[in-house]
Amino acid sequence: MTEDEFDLFYTAAYPRLVGQLYALTGNHAEAQDVVQEAFVRAWDRRSSVLAGDRAPEAWIRTVAHRLAMSRWRRARHWWELVRGESAPRPVPEPSPDHVALVAALRRLPEAQRTAIVLHHLCDLSVEQIAAETGAAVGTVKARLSRGRSALAAHLVSEEPHPTEEACV
């Protein structure tokens, strides 16, 4: 990959990757830092990582994710040392909708769950998912379709919707 190609790739992928890492870390500045560091590492390895039919954005996302997790662990460990406590702080309970969604996602086969998360949460296209997972485009489309159908079936509420009660 030439320097100009890398610049174009950076310009296109950087905002998208920062958005994804921001969703992961909850800290925009941290997301920018880890994505920038991942791009620096990609630049150093551009002849091997960014060449051929590899998915360079997936590689950078993975590196940025690992950097963010490493920083988070170091910060947590430092905070525990400073405060002198090792007991975890209480975490607020997730909403019922969140619990239902996670439970429904867990009931899906891994391939369908992966396709749905990459498409709907990471905002990847079908072609990008195919490149990242090594599956054919048609296979990814089938996994998305079947996964959505299965997810909808798992998320069906037993309670009638308020407008349904008014019609009865």
Side-chain angles (χ1 to χ4, degrees):
M1 181 178 276
T2 67
E3 188 173 329
D4 291 336
E5 290 172 332
F6 187 86
D7 288 344
L8 289 172
F9 170 65
Y10 176 86
T11 302
Y14 180 80
R16 188 171 41 250
L17 290 167
V18 168
Q20 293 167 8
L21 269 291
Y22 174 53
L24 174 71
T25 63
N27 182 325
H28 194 261
E30 182 74 13
Q32 290 174 321
D33 287 347
V34 295
V35 170
Q36 186 67 36
E37 176 64 25
F39 269 104
V40 168
R41 293 181 183 192
W43 174 258
D44 292 340
R45 296 168 182 81
R46 68 186 178 279
S47 61
S48 62
V49 171
L50 305 176
D53 51 332
R54 291 184 149 203
E57 190 169 332
W59 187 89
I60 291 171
R61 182 178 27 261
T62 301
V63 170
H65 178 263
R66 289 177 181 162
L67 286 168
M69 291 298 99
S70 179
R71 288 180 179 195
W72 179 80
R73 285 185 195 107
R74 279 195 309 266
R76 185 185 64 181
H77 180 68
W78 178 83
W79 184 249
E80 288 173 356
L81 290 174
V82 168
R83 293 197 60 197
E85 60 183 59
S86 59
R89 289 183 279 157
V91 177
E93 292 186 23
S95 70
D97 290 341
H98 180 80
V99 171
L101 178 60
V102 170
L105 282 169
R106 285 184 178 161
R107 294 176 72 182
L108 297 180
E110 183 178 351
Q112 290 176 7
R113 181 174 57 242
T114 300
I116 286 177
V117 168
L118 288 175
H119 188 67
H120 293 288
L121 296 179
C122 293
D123 202 28
L124 297 183
S125 69
V126 172
E127 292 76 17
Q128 291 170 319
I129 296 169
E132 195 162 318
T133 61
V137 171
T139 302
V140 172
K141 289 179 181 179
R143 288 175 181 169
L144 284 169
S145 177
R146 292 179 184 138
R148 287 183 196 120
S149 296
L151 195 59
H154 295 310
L155 291 174
V156 171
S157 176
E158 299 295 325
E159 301 172 17
H161 193 272
T163 57
E164 293 173 359
E165 289 178 357
C167 295
V168 176

